[in-house]
Amino acid sequence: MSRVPEMFGCMVFNDTVMRDKLPNDVYKALKKSVERGNRLDIDIANAVANAMKDWAIEKGATHFTHWFQPMTGITAEKHDSFIEPTDDGGVIMQFSGKSLIRGEPDASSLPSGGLRATFEARGYTAWDPTSYAFIKEKTLCIPTAFCSYSGEVLDKKTPLLRSMDVIGKQAMRILKLFGKDVKRVLTTVGAEQEYFLIDKKLYEKRSDLKLCGRTLFGAKSPKGQELEDHYFGNIKTRVKSFMDDLDEELWKLGIAAKTEHNEVAPGQHELAPIYTTTNIGCDHNQLTMEIMKKVAERHDLACLLHEKPFEGVNGSGKHNNWSLSTDTGFNLFEPGNSPEDNMQFLIFLCAVLKAVDEYADLLRVSVASAGNDHRLGGNEAPPAIISIFLGDELTDILESIEKGTTYFKKSVGNIHVGAPVIPHIPRDTSDRNRTSPFAFTGNKFEFRMLGSSASISCTNIILNTVVAEELSLFATRLEKAEDFENEIHNIIADTYKNHKKIIYNGDGYSSEWTKKAEERGLLNLRNTADALPLFKAQKNIDLFKKHNIYTKAEVESRCEVLTDNYIKVLTIESNTMLDMVKRDILPACVAYSNELAVAALNKKSLCSDISVEYETRLTAEISQLCECLYNNQLKLEKDLMDAKRITNLGECAKFFAQTVLETMNSVRQAADALETVVSSKHWPYPTYRQLMFDI
Ligand code: ADP
Ligand code: MG
């Protein structure tokens, strides 16, 4: 594949292309404005737009769009063609600086959480020159921020850019105190994406998958993931050809897809990109999810991004690997060979420790969704309790600083495999801990609670802001300190003493941890309905206001959008369930039991001595289960009526979490029991075995 380097980024208007296509002065002005965050001159914008258009047309584009990320969690686009009429009745291809910089989509149907009444439909998109424009399906896509007429933020990109700016500035304050001369500090992110692939024809037969993204019914397959033979297993030919195609599409867009492997559950896979700056990392993850679905279609597959497509096997998550790096590429979470002497590293580490402890509620909110509720705490993903894994070495270092004792480095040495032909390999300073929600993994943090379908923006907005807050407090202390060294020592000791309760290096999936965490006073927000109200806690509103990320109204609107979404998702799932039960499952059961009864009667009329024990018992069992299913169906219908009467959104969400979900479970149980006794000829849907293994 020698052509990969040429292919990589060929659909991106990146720095190389800009240098090539833009007049030198325009290129320089654009660069300067990106680096300093200055506003662009309209003449420069016109020149950039023109070059972009010519480049895009050369690559086959006919349209352009402002590509933005409203609060729906997915991306939005409205395509305009480049054509402009001419006097002689023809057209020319045109793209102005004005169209590049600003768009005005009629955005009244996108969620605003009460920030904007429907009659105030104006929404604006504004070019984000820090993320490159790209071509997707003959359309030049321009990454943009999205706000309302009166300037309220309506998207996920604007607060993300703000949070990156804030953490960059606060990190610079700290670095300055350590005598470091750097121009900028950026956050970096690499999002590992899990997904399922199933056969498209089977997918088409299940309205639960089509409408809800997950199966609402399905008896356990005789084989699931118990043999542990799928993880890192041989990749099936069909899947491999999907992955090859996917890599190619992503590479063209400059997305550095790096690792692809099978995950734990049958049919489950993962893709990890090489990390990049957070803003671009978020855009890339959105594109990756979109392109996964499209490429799957080409291979007659369906790509499932839901957090829990199948009960009984692992669901899918997304690991948000996060770090801070200087413009010179130095990673601020690189501990070096002797972290015990690396005070700068320890200060940054302590900022994260304190931030995660004080704002555990916000981090939990950032991953809250109806889909993710199925995973967290289910022995396949971290629990809903936030804690940090630091490993023994760093924990010991912090402990010794708190106690004022000398730290003795433990020698880790090499691993000796015992077979002389295999070279000795150096041992890492600590083992991995796969059960921790927030793990320090050598030179970065890995936040593992995100759901697979989520936008990573929310998490990164919050992570950046909470760490920025702690860095700002530390910087203020250090700037005022008379004895700098001593104050560093005090900050580390204070932080460890007050926040060590958030450190947990043990098994996060165990029930002992749940108990211990409760004793330590850590939050355990089991579901979305419990978590979301904390978004609006006064301390959190104060934090967002202080750093100019969100106003109070913007926090409230976001909270409303999330709560509303939770209720809507569960309502759609309930209605889909009811539809499937009433129109497919119960009729199939009745048809089958009728067939059994007729068979029994026929046998009897043939010869009265013939035993019809089997037919009779099975018919009775099916009838009993049908009755149970029917009663649960009625209960679910009643629950939904009751929910409609609850006017308070938060209360309504709680009702769904506590009551509706339980009824949905009962409906499912009865239907799944029926699936195991009704003939496969009558059962209306492909089974778990087919969905997970027939590919
Ligand atoms: P592992 O999960 O086995 O530790 P890697 O170390 O390769 O694997 O990293 C997993 C993910 O973390 C990749 O997407 C990678 O790009 C990302 N990553 C690595 N270093 C950083 C960093 N400094 N900042 C953000 N993400 C990073
Ligand atoms: Mg990982």
Side-chain angles (χ1 to χ4, degrees):
M1 270 234 194
S2 61
R3 58 195 192 95
V4 174
E6 289 93 76
M7 184 207 303
F8 191 83
C10 68
M11 289 302 189
V12 184
F13 196 72
N14 58 23
D15 201 60
T16 320
V17 181
M18 284 189 228
R19 212 183 310 218
D20 183 36
K21 305 275 178 196
L22 295 175
N24 202 20
D25 55 327
V26 174
Y27 172 76
K28 278 198 184 134
L30 178 63
K31 271 298 249 201
K32 206 156 102 190
S33 120
V34 169
E35 268 163 25
R36 304 210 180 137
N38 301 340
R39 213 164 283 282
L40 254 197
D41 201 73
I42 188 68
D43 293 338
I44 303 289
N46 277 330
V48 176
N50 201 41
M52 253 188 203
K53 177 207 69 186
D54 288 345
W55 169 81
I57 290 172
E58 232 172 74
K59 300 262 177 196
T62 50
H63 288 68
F64 70 92
T65 180
H66 276 201
W67 186 74
F68 61 105
Q69 304 178 17
M71 290 193 262
T72 50
I74 49 173
T75 56
E77 45 196 73
K78 179 188 142 219
H79 297 190
D80 281 299
S81 70
F82 288 122
I83 60 167
E84 278 300 326
T86 52
D87 290 343
D88 58 1
V91 292
I92 51 164
M93 300 298 256
Q94 217 169 43
F95 185 46
S96 68
K98 206 171 129 254
S99 307
L100 166 65
I101 291 179
R102 201 186 85 166
E104 197 187 320
D106 175 10
S108 53
S109 297
L110 291 162
S112 78
L115 274 184
R116 187 195 44 191
T118 321
F119 62 91
E120 299 167 326
R122 267 180 208 270
Y124 293 100
T125 49
W127 180 32
D128 163 22
T130 61
S131 183
Y132 299 132
F134 56 90
I135 299 171
K136 182 169 65 80
E137 292 171 338
K138 292 197 188 166
T139 302
L140 171 68
C141 299
I142 297 144
T144 51
F146 178 46
C147 65
S148 76
Y149 180 72
S150 40
E152 282 117 349
V153 181
L154 295 174
D155 71 345
K156 296 185 184 241
K157 188 188 267 287
T158 314
L160 183 70
L161 289 171
R162 289 179 181 171
S163 76
M164 289 173 70
D165 188 49
V166 168
I167 193 169
K169 287 197 173 120
Q170 297 306 332
M172 295 272 285
R173 277 175 76 194
I174 301 274
L175 289 180
K176 196 163 162 229
L177 288 159
F178 279 93
K180 300 282 159 58
D181 179 27
V182 298
K183 282 208 208 71
R184 280 202 312 163
V185 172
L186 287 160
T187 51
T188 52
V189 72
E192 297 165 66
Q193 177 73 47
E194 290 181 342
Y195 60 96
F196 278 85
L197 287 178
I198 63 169
D199 189 274
K200 186 77 199 292
K201 285 189 282 305
L202 298 175
Y203 169 86
E204 289 293 342
K205 291 186 181 143
R206 298 207 48 140
S207 46
D208 47 1
L209 282 175
K210 282 166 75 179
L211 300 181
C212 312
R214 73 175 180 111
T215 54
L216 299 169
F217 301 101
K220 231 177 143 276
S221 158
K223 180 182 185 239
Q225 65 189 41
E226 47 285 272
L227 291 181
E228 295 166 341
D229 52 356
H230 195 257
Y231 189 56
F232 282 7
N234 220 312
I235 300 174
K236 288 183 182 162
T237 317
R238 200 168 161 200
V239 174
K240 177 74 174 80
S241 95
F242 160 85
M243 286 179 175
D244 288 347
D245 234 14
L246 175 65
D247 279 343
E248 201 166 300
E249 292 297 329
L250 295 177
W251 290 338
K252 282 190 205 159
L253 290 172
I255 300 173
K258 173 85 176 161
T259 319
E260 303 244 24
H261 64 78
N262 282 359
E263 260 299 327
V264 173
Q268 193 184 27
H269 313 279
E270 181 187 294
L271 179 145
I274 297 172
Y275 69 93
T276 173
T277 49
T278 302
N279 178 30
I280 295 174
C282 288
D283 286 357
H284 281 182
N285 184 252
Q286 292 286 1
L287 279 172
T288 301
M289 292 195 283
E290 182 186 324
I291 290 165
M292 275 178 168
K293 292 195 161 218
K294 290 206 171 128
V295 173
E297 296 231 345
R298 272 194 240 153
H299 290 254
D300 282 322
L301 296 165
C303 172
L304 308 179
L305 291 171
H306 194 280
E307 285 74 17
K308 193 72 180 175
F310 305 107
E311 204 166 88
V313 298
N314 281 11
S316 301
K318 179 141 56 189
H319 291 177
N320 189 83
N321 295 275
W322 175 93
S323 192
L324 282 172
S325 118
T326 65
D327 56 321
T328 51
F330 179 74
N331 180 349
L332 296 176
F333 288 106
E334 177 56 57
N337 289 332
S338 44
E340 64 276 23
D341 302 322
N342 188 345
M343 292 303 132
Q344 183 185 302
F345 163 74
L346 291 176
I347 283 287
F348 277 98
L349 182 76
C350 281
V352 174
L353 198 63
K354 186 162 182 268
V356 173
D357 188 27
E358 286 179 349
Y359 297 99
D361 52 353
L362 277 182
L363 287 169
R364 172 69 184 88
V365 166
S366 83
V367 300
S369 71
N372 214 19
D373 281 355
H374 298 290
R375 290 173 66 237
L376 298 179
N379 274 319
E380 55 173 283
I385 310 161
I386 306 260
S387 66
I388 293 193
F389 168 83
L390 283 188
D392 293 338
E393 187 187 31
L394 293 179
T395 313
D396 289 350
I397 292 172
L398 295 178
E399 177 106 25
S400 72
I401 294 178
E402 189 213 352
K403 296 222 174 89
T405 54
T406 318
Y407 169 76
F408 292 104
K409 202 179 183 75
K410 291 189 188 83
S411 156
V412 286
N414 285 334
I415 298 173
H416 306 278
V417 183
V421 291
I422 298 191
H424 295 164
I425 45 176
R427 195 189 298 271
D428 286 310
T429 49
S430 72
D431 199 358
R432 280 164 187 273
N433 180 323
R434 301 218 309 158
T435 64
S436 176
F438 201 102
F440 183 70
T441 48
N443 61 3
K444 63 183 189 292
F445 287 92
E446 185 168 350
F447 186 35
R448 298 169 171 146
M449 284 171 84
L450 288 81
S452 47
S453 69
S455 152
I456 62 170
S457 298
C458 293
T459 282
N460 286 291
I461 293 165
I462 284 170
L463 203 46
N464 292 343
T465 309
V466 297
V467 176
E469 164 68 3
E470 308 304 351
L471 289 174
S472 83
L473 298 177
F474 289 178
T476 306
R477 266 179 81 168
L478 289 169
E479 281 157 4
K480 283 193 199 139
E482 278 165 20
D483 183 340
F484 183 66
E485 303 275 315
N486 197 37
E487 191 62 4
I488 288 175
H489 188 277
N490 291 342
I491 288 178
I492 298 172
D494 292 351
T495 306
Y496 183 69
K497 181 162 165 267
N498 296 329
H499 302 286
K500 64 180 151 195
K501 66 173 190 300
I502 198 78
I503 301 174
Y504 183 62
N505 294 333
D507 180 2
Y509 293 1
S510 68
S511 53
E512 294 96 80
W513 170 231
T514 313
K515 254 192 271 139
K516 209 186 249 181
E518 199 179 325
E519 283 158 25
R520 291 190 190 181
L522 300 182
L523 284 172
N524 187 0
L525 300 163
R526 286 187 180 77
N527 58 53
T528 300
D530 284 348
L532 288 181
L534 292 171
F535 202 174
K536 295 188 285 189
Q538 193 57 47
K539 76 168 182 36
N540 296 336
I541 290 183
D542 292 344
L543 170 86
F544 289 126
K545 268 173 39 189
K546 176 174 166 189
H547 295 286
N548 211 3
I549 307 293
Y550 298 128
T551 61
K552 181 165 185 272
E554 284 166 351
V555 172
E556 283 165 353
S557 76
R558 256 149 233 265
C559 193
E560 188 178 316
V561 169
L562 291 168
T563 315
D564 189 50
N565 178 269
Y566 176 75
I567 294 169
K568 283 181 178 152
V569 166
L570 291 180
T571 305
I572 292 169
E573 288 187 352
S574 299
N575 283 328
T576 308
M577 263 193 144
L578 289 169
D579 187 67
M580 291 170 84
V581 167
K582 286 156 68 171
R583 302 179 59 237
D584 293 338
I585 298 178
L586 283 174
C589 296
V590 170
Y592 180 53
S593 52
N594 181 55
E595 204 172 290
L596 285 170
V598 170
L601 288 174
N602 283 347
K603 276 162 87 176
K604 277 285 175 203
S605 63
L606 186 70
C607 166
S608 61
D609 287 348
I610 288 183
S611 161
V612 288
E613 181 77 15
Y614 160 68
E615 290 85 347
T616 313
R617 285 231 221 148
L618 190 51
T619 312
E621 188 184 348
I622 291 173
S623 296
Q624 209 174 26
L625 284 170
C626 282
E627 199 173 304
C628 174
L629 179 55
Y630 177 62
N631 285 333
N632 285 314
Q633 168 211 312
L634 295 177
K635 167 86 169 57
L636 186 55
E637 282 169 338
K638 179 178 176 300
D639 285 356
L640 289 180
M641 298 287 282
D642 289 347
K644 271 207 186 119
R645 281 191 283 270
I646 308 174
T647 45
N648 178 294
L649 216 53
E651 290 306 314
C652 186
K654 287 217 163 90
F655 180 75
F656 270 92
Q658 285 155 11
T659 307
V660 181
L661 266 171
E662 205 179 294
T663 313
M664 286 170 72
N665 264 336
S666 308
V667 172
R668 175 175 187 144
Q669 268 172 24
D672 288 358
L674 279 162
E675 187 187 323
T676 64
V677 291
V678 169
S679 94
S680 58
K681 204 180 84 201
H682 284 82
W683 196 254
Y685 307 115
T687 63
Y688 267 26
R689 184 197 58 72
Q690 292 170 297
L691 292 171
M692 281 188 267
F693 292 93
D694 289 358
I695 178 171

